[in-house]
Amino acid sequence: ISHPSEKEKLEVWQRAFDSLTETQKSFFLRLSVLLKESNTGWLPMKFITQDLYPDKAYEDIKPMISIFVKNMEELGFIEKTRKGRQIFLSITERGKLLLPQEKSIKKEVENDSRDNF
């Protein structure tokens, strides 16, 4: 039995990510930006939702966001935890591999290591 290489896994995850809707992708990317700014590793779902949809009531938009989160959680891109009544979100290591800035950094490192040989 051959196990998929890291590159093959990344390609599968990338295809899964590409299958998300533009709205889901922008939610994921916005979450990554807000997490980076917060430096806590976890953000309340309500905070992200209000950031993306400032003119909508959280209760009205929460069902749609919950579906996004569930979908991305099933793909292994996001983790969710509950503290009291609040839901907190974080991006998994797998999810981080799909972030544009992470990918460009990884490419640069790979290119640098190739140039040195």
PDB file of all heavy atoms in Angstrom, residues 32-55:
ATOM      1  N   SER A  32      -8.538  33.944   8.503  1.00  0.00           N
ATOM      2  CA  SER A  32      -7.085  33.850   8.658  1.00  0.00           C
ATOM      3  C   SER A  32      -6.471  35.209   8.967  1.00  0.00           C
ATOM      4  O   SER A  32      -5.577  35.314   9.805  1.00  0.00           O
ATOM      5  CB  SER A  32      -6.436  33.231   7.422  1.00  0.00           C
ATOM      6  OG  SER A  32      -6.346  34.167   6.378  1.00  0.00           O
ATOM      7  N   VAL A  33      -6.963  36.260   8.315  1.00  0.00           N
ATOM      8  CA  VAL A  33      -6.447  37.617   8.551  1.00  0.00           C
ATOM      9  C   VAL A  33      -6.761  38.058   9.980  1.00  0.00           C
ATOM     10  O   VAL A  33      -5.890  38.547  10.698  1.00  0.00           O
ATOM     11  CB  VAL A  33      -7.044  38.616   7.530  1.00  0.00           C
ATOM     12  CG1 VAL A  33      -6.742  40.052   7.918  1.00  0.00           C
ATOM     13  CG2 VAL A  33      -6.524  38.315   6.136  1.00  0.00           C
ATOM     14  N   LEU A  34      -8.012  37.862  10.398  1.00  0.00           N
ATOM     15  CA  LEU A  34      -8.428  38.272  11.745  1.00  0.00           C
ATOM     16  C   LEU A  34      -7.679  37.481  12.824  1.00  0.00           C
ATOM     17  O   LEU A  34      -7.312  38.036  13.857  1.00  0.00           O
ATOM     18  CB  LEU A  34      -9.941  38.112  11.910  1.00  0.00           C
ATOM     19  CG  LEU A  34     -10.793  39.054  11.049  1.00  0.00           C
ATOM     20  CD1 LEU A  34     -12.260  38.655  11.111  1.00  0.00           C
ATOM     21  CD2 LEU A  34     -10.611  40.503  11.464  1.00  0.00           C
ATOM     22  N   LEU A  35      -7.444  36.195  12.576  1.00  0.00           N
ATOM     23  CA  LEU A  35      -6.694  35.377  13.538  1.00  0.00           C
ATOM     24  C   LEU A  35      -5.266  35.884  13.664  1.00  0.00           C
ATOM     25  O   LEU A  35      -4.725  35.962  14.755  1.00  0.00           O
ATOM     26  CB  LEU A  35      -6.680  33.907  13.109  1.00  0.00           C
ATOM     27  CG  LEU A  35      -7.935  33.105  13.437  1.00  0.00           C
ATOM     28  CD1 LEU A  35      -7.936  31.785  12.692  1.00  0.00           C
ATOM     29  CD2 LEU A  35      -8.056  32.871  14.935  1.00  0.00           C
ATOM     30  N   LYS A  36      -4.673  36.232  12.533  1.00  0.00           N
ATOM     31  CA  LYS A  36      -3.300  36.738  12.536  1.00  0.00           C
ATOM     32  C   LYS A  36      -3.224  38.038  13.338  1.00  0.00           C
ATOM     33  O   LYS A  36      -2.317  38.244  14.132  1.00  0.00           O
ATOM     34  CB  LYS A  36      -2.835  36.967  11.095  1.00  0.00           C
ATOM     35  CG  LYS A  36      -1.336  37.097  10.986  1.00  0.00           C
ATOM     36  CD  LYS A  36      -0.873  36.938   9.560  1.00  0.00           C
ATOM     37  CE  LYS A  36      -0.480  35.497   9.337  1.00  0.00           C
ATOM     38  NZ  LYS A  36      -0.221  35.119   7.998  1.00  0.00           N
ATOM     39  N   GLU A  37      -4.238  38.911  13.145  1.00  0.00           N
ATOM     40  CA  GLU A  37      -4.274  40.194  13.860  1.00  0.00           C
ATOM     41  C   GLU A  37      -4.518  39.998  15.353  1.00  0.00           C
ATOM     42  O   GLU A  37      -3.978  40.722  16.175  1.00  0.00           O
ATOM     43  CB  GLU A  37      -5.364  41.099  13.274  1.00  0.00           C
ATOM     44  CG  GLU A  37      -5.027  41.626  11.895  1.00  0.00           C
ATOM     45  CD  GLU A  37      -6.198  42.323  11.216  1.00  0.00           C
ATOM     46  OE1 GLU A  37      -7.305  42.409  11.823  1.00  0.00           O
ATOM     47  OE2 GLU A  37      -6.022  42.777  10.081  1.00  0.00           O
ATOM     48  N   SER A  38      -5.356  39.021  15.700  1.00  0.00           N
ATOM     49  CA  SER A  38      -5.738  38.838  17.106  1.00  0.00           C
ATOM     50  C   SER A  38      -4.637  38.158  17.915  1.00  0.00           C
ATOM     51  O   SER A  38      -4.565  38.337  19.125  1.00  0.00           O
ATOM     52  CB  SER A  38      -7.019  38.022  17.213  1.00  0.00           C
ATOM     53  OG  SER A  38      -6.726  36.648  17.056  1.00  0.00           O
ATOM     54  N   ASN A  39      -3.835  37.329  17.249  1.00  0.00           N
ATOM     55  CA  ASN A  39      -2.745  36.626  17.921  1.00  0.00           C
ATOM     56  C   ASN A  39      -3.209  35.670  19.018  1.00  0.00           C
ATOM     57  O   ASN A  39      -2.423  35.307  19.871  1.00  0.00           O
ATOM     58  CB  ASN A  39      -1.759  37.626  18.527  1.00  0.00           C
ATOM     59  CG  ASN A  39      -0.448  37.616  17.762  1.00  0.00           C
ATOM     60  OD1 ASN A  39      -0.172  36.685  17.020  1.00  0.00           O
ATOM     61  ND2 ASN A  39       0.333  38.653  17.943  1.00  0.00           N
ATOM     62  N   THR A  40      -4.488  35.297  19.031  1.00  0.00           N
ATOM     63  CA  THR A  40      -4.988  34.415  20.090  1.00  0.00           C
ATOM     64  C   THR A  40      -5.128  32.971  19.613  1.00  0.00           C
ATOM     65  O   THR A  40      -5.184  32.063  20.414  1.00  0.00           O
ATOM     66  CB  THR A  40      -6.371  34.874  20.589  1.00  0.00           C
ATOM     67  OG1 THR A  40      -7.264  34.860  19.476  1.00  0.00           O
ATOM     68  CG2 THR A  40      -6.317  36.253  21.203  1.00  0.00           C
ATOM     69  N   GLY A  41      -5.214  32.774  18.311  1.00  0.00           N
ATOM     70  CA  GLY A  41      -5.406  31.424  17.793  1.00  0.00           C
ATOM     71  C   GLY A  41      -6.871  31.030  17.641  1.00  0.00           C
ATOM     72  O   GLY A  41      -7.191  30.118  16.903  1.00  0.00           O
ATOM     73  N   TRP A  42      -7.757  31.737  18.343  1.00  0.00           N
ATOM     74  CA  TRP A  42      -9.195  31.443  18.263  1.00  0.00           C
ATOM     75  C   TRP A  42      -9.965  32.756  18.177  1.00  0.00           C
ATOM     76  O   TRP A  42      -9.600  33.726  18.833  1.00  0.00           O
ATOM     77  CB  TRP A  42      -9.666  30.690  19.510  1.00  0.00           C
ATOM     78  CG  TRP A  42      -9.104  29.308  19.587  1.00  0.00           C
ATOM     79  CD1 TRP A  42      -7.927  28.943  20.169  1.00  0.00           C
ATOM     80  CD2 TRP A  42      -9.665  28.114  19.042  1.00  0.00           C
ATOM     81  NE1 TRP A  42      -7.730  27.585  20.030  1.00  0.00           N
ATOM     82  CE2 TRP A  42      -8.780  27.054  19.341  1.00  0.00           C
ATOM     83  CE3 TRP A  42     -10.840  27.841  18.332  1.00  0.00           C
ATOM     84  CZ2 TRP A  42      -9.025  25.738  18.954  1.00  0.00           C
ATOM     85  CZ3 TRP A  42     -11.082  26.530  17.954  1.00  0.00           C
ATOM     86  CH2 TRP A  42     -10.192  25.492  18.260  1.00  0.00           C
ATOM     87  N   LEU A  43     -11.038  32.760  17.391  1.00  0.00           N
ATOM     88  CA  LEU A  43     -11.899  33.946  17.290  1.00  0.00           C
ATOM     89  C   LEU A  43     -13.355  33.549  17.432  1.00  0.00           C
ATOM     90  O   LEU A  43     -13.763  32.519  16.905  1.00  0.00           O
ATOM     91  CB  LEU A  43     -11.738  34.596  15.912  1.00  0.00           C
ATOM     92  CG  LEU A  43     -10.637  35.623  15.727  1.00  0.00           C
ATOM     93  CD1 LEU A  43     -10.721  36.188  14.328  1.00  0.00           C
ATOM     94  CD2 LEU A  43     -10.716  36.743  16.734  1.00  0.00           C
ATOM     95  N   PRO A  44     -14.152  34.389  18.098  1.00  0.00           N
ATOM     96  CA  PRO A  44     -15.592  34.097  18.176  1.00  0.00           C
ATOM     97  C   PRO A  44     -16.218  34.155  16.784  1.00  0.00           C
ATOM     98  O   PRO A  44     -15.924  35.065  16.001  1.00  0.00           O
ATOM     99  CB  PRO A  44     -16.150  35.222  19.045  1.00  0.00           C
ATOM    100  CG  PRO A  44     -14.974  35.860  19.708  1.00  0.00           C
ATOM    101  CD  PRO A  44     -13.789  35.597  18.822  1.00  0.00           C
ATOM    102  N   MET A  45     -17.048  33.175  16.471  1.00  0.00           N
ATOM    103  CA  MET A  45     -17.740  33.137  15.177  1.00  0.00           C
ATOM    104  C   MET A  45     -18.541  34.422  14.968  1.00  0.00           C
ATOM    105  O   MET A  45     -18.593  34.965  13.870  1.00  0.00           O
ATOM    106  CB  MET A  45     -18.658  31.917  15.101  1.00  0.00           C
ATOM    107  CG  MET A  45     -19.246  31.692  13.729  1.00  0.00           C
ATOM    108  SD  MET A  45     -19.906  30.027  13.532  1.00  0.00           S
ATOM    109  CE  MET A  45     -21.594  30.280  14.014  1.00  0.00           C
ATOM    110  N   LYS A  46     -19.123  34.917  16.050  1.00  0.00           N
ATOM    111  CA  LYS A  46     -19.929  36.137  15.969  1.00  0.00           C
ATOM    112  C   LYS A  46     -19.094  37.332  15.496  1.00  0.00           C
ATOM    113  O   LYS A  46     -19.541  38.141  14.697  1.00  0.00           O
ATOM    114  CB  LYS A  46     -20.548  36.432  17.348  1.00  0.00           C
ATOM    115  CG  LYS A  46     -21.545  37.554  17.347  1.00  0.00           C
ATOM    116  CD  LYS A  46     -22.250  37.649  18.698  1.00  0.00           C
ATOM    117  CE  LYS A  46     -23.368  38.661  18.623  1.00  0.00           C
ATOM    118  NZ  LYS A  46     -24.163  38.685  19.849  1.00  0.00           N
ATOM    119  N   PHE A  47     -17.850  37.398  15.970  1.00  0.00           N
ATOM    120  CA  PHE A  47     -16.947  38.493  15.604  1.00  0.00           C
ATOM    121  C   PHE A  47     -16.664  38.491  14.098  1.00  0.00           C
ATOM    122  O   PHE A  47     -16.733  39.523  13.436  1.00  0.00           O
ATOM    123  CB  PHE A  47     -15.644  38.356  16.408  1.00  0.00           C
ATOM    124  CG  PHE A  47     -14.637  39.433  16.124  1.00  0.00           C
ATOM    125  CD1 PHE A  47     -14.717  40.669  16.747  1.00  0.00           C
ATOM    126  CD2 PHE A  47     -13.601  39.218  15.222  1.00  0.00           C
ATOM    127  CE1 PHE A  47     -13.797  41.668  16.484  1.00  0.00           C
ATOM    128  CE2 PHE A  47     -12.664  40.204  14.951  1.00  0.00           C
ATOM    129  CZ  PHE A  47     -12.772  41.438  15.582  1.00  0.00           C
ATOM    130  N   ILE A  48     -16.347  37.318  13.557  1.00  0.00           N
ATOM    131  CA  ILE A  48     -16.038  37.198  12.127  1.00  0.00           C
ATOM    132  C   ILE A  48     -17.269  37.527  11.296  1.00  0.00           C
ATOM    133  O   ILE A  48     -17.188  38.235  10.297  1.00  0.00           O
ATOM    134  CB  ILE A  48     -15.542  35.778  11.795  1.00  0.00           C
ATOM    135  CG1 ILE A  48     -14.278  35.469  12.602  1.00  0.00           C
ATOM    136  CG2 ILE A  48     -15.276  35.620  10.304  1.00  0.00           C
ATOM    137  CD1 ILE A  48     -14.102  34.029  12.913  1.00  0.00           C
ATOM    138  N   THR A  49     -18.403  37.002  11.745  1.00  0.00           N
ATOM    139  CA  THR A  49     -19.654  37.236  11.022  1.00  0.00           C
ATOM    140  C   THR A  49     -19.975  38.724  10.970  1.00  0.00           C
ATOM    141  O   THR A  49     -20.336  39.253   9.918  1.00  0.00           O
ATOM    142  CB  THR A  49     -20.797  36.447  11.702  1.00  0.00           C
ATOM    143  OG1 THR A  49     -20.396  35.080  11.782  1.00  0.00           O
ATOM    144  CG2 THR A  49     -22.086  36.561  10.927  1.00  0.00           C
ATOM    145  N   GLN A  50     -19.828  39.411  12.102  1.00  0.00           N
ATOM    146  CA  GLN A  50     -20.115  40.851  12.137  1.00  0.00           C
ATOM    147  C   GLN A  50     -19.103  41.643  11.321  1.00  0.00           C
ATOM    148  O   GLN A  50     -19.430  42.671  10.740  1.00  0.00           O
ATOM    149  CB  GLN A  50     -20.184  41.343  13.578  1.00  0.00           C
ATOM    150  CG  GLN A  50     -21.423  40.813  14.283  1.00  0.00           C
ATOM    151  CD  GLN A  50     -21.426  41.069  15.778  1.00  0.00           C
ATOM    152  OE1 GLN A  50     -20.376  41.132  16.427  1.00  0.00           O
ATOM    153  NE2 GLN A  50     -22.616  41.182  16.338  1.00  0.00           N
ATOM    154  N   ASP A  51     -17.873  41.160  11.268  1.00  0.00           N
ATOM    155  CA  ASP A  51     -16.842  41.810  10.461  1.00  0.00           C
ATOM    156  C   ASP A  51     -17.195  41.707   8.972  1.00  0.00           C
ATOM    157  O   ASP A  51     -17.068  42.668   8.228  1.00  0.00           O
ATOM    158  CB  ASP A  51     -15.482  41.147  10.730  1.00  0.00           C
ATOM    159  CG  ASP A  51     -14.375  41.752   9.894  1.00  0.00           C
ATOM    160  OD1 ASP A  51     -13.851  42.811  10.310  1.00  0.00           O
ATOM    161  OD2 ASP A  51     -14.046  41.198   8.828  1.00  0.00           O
ATOM    162  N   LEU A  52     -17.651  40.518   8.538  1.00  0.00           N
ATOM    163  CA  LEU A  52     -17.976  40.301   7.125  1.00  0.00           C
ATOM    164  C   LEU A  52     -19.322  40.888   6.726  1.00  0.00           C
ATOM    165  O   LEU A  52     -19.503  41.306   5.590  1.00  0.00           O
ATOM    166  CB  LEU A  52     -17.978  38.796   6.819  1.00  0.00           C
ATOM    167  CG  LEU A  52     -16.616  38.142   6.694  1.00  0.00           C
ATOM    168  CD1 LEU A  52     -16.763  36.630   6.695  1.00  0.00           C
ATOM    169  CD2 LEU A  52     -15.909  38.599   5.429  1.00  0.00           C
ATOM    170  N   TYR A  53     -20.272  40.880   7.639  1.00  0.00           N
ATOM    171  CA  TYR A  53     -21.638  41.341   7.339  1.00  0.00           C
ATOM    172  C   TYR A  53     -22.082  42.372   8.368  1.00  0.00           C
ATOM    173  O   TYR A  53     -23.004  42.121   9.150  1.00  0.00           O
ATOM    174  CB  TYR A  53     -22.609  40.148   7.334  1.00  0.00           C
ATOM    175  CG  TYR A  53     -22.227  39.087   6.338  1.00  0.00           C
ATOM    176  CD1 TYR A  53     -21.512  37.953   6.726  1.00  0.00           C
ATOM    177  CD2 TYR A  53     -22.563  39.217   4.984  1.00  0.00           C
ATOM    178  CE1 TYR A  53     -21.135  36.982   5.813  1.00  0.00           C
ATOM    179  CE2 TYR A  53     -22.193  38.246   4.064  1.00  0.00           C
ATOM    180  CZ  TYR A  53     -21.482  37.134   4.485  1.00  0.00           C
ATOM    181  OH  TYR A  53     -21.114  36.173   3.570  1.00  0.00           O
ATOM    182  N   PRO A  54     -21.445  43.550   8.383  1.00  0.00           N
ATOM    183  CA  PRO A  54     -21.749  44.538   9.430  1.00  0.00           C
ATOM    184  C   PRO A  54     -23.193  45.051   9.384  1.00  0.00           C
ATOM    185  O   PRO A  54     -23.728  45.465  10.400  1.00  0.00           O
ATOM    186  CB  PRO A  54     -20.759  45.671   9.149  1.00  0.00           C
ATOM    187  CG  PRO A  54     -20.291  45.457   7.755  1.00  0.00           C
ATOM    188  CD  PRO A  54     -20.430  44.001   7.449  1.00  0.00           C
ATOM    189  N   ASP A  55     -23.831  44.977   8.226  1.00  0.00           N
ATOM    190  CA  ASP A  55     -25.189  45.514   8.096  1.00  0.00           C
ATOM    191  C   ASP A  55     -26.276  44.464   8.323  1.00  0.00           C
ATOM    192  O   ASP A  55     -27.456  44.742   8.168  1.00  0.00           O
ATOM    193  CB  ASP A  55     -25.357  46.163   6.717  1.00  0.00           C
ATOM    194  CG  ASP A  55     -24.964  45.224   5.583  1.00  0.00           C
ATOM    195  OD1 ASP A  55     -24.241  44.235   5.848  1.00  0.00           O
ATOM    196  OD2 ASP A  55     -25.368  45.477   4.439  1.00  0.00           O
TER     197      ASP A  55
END
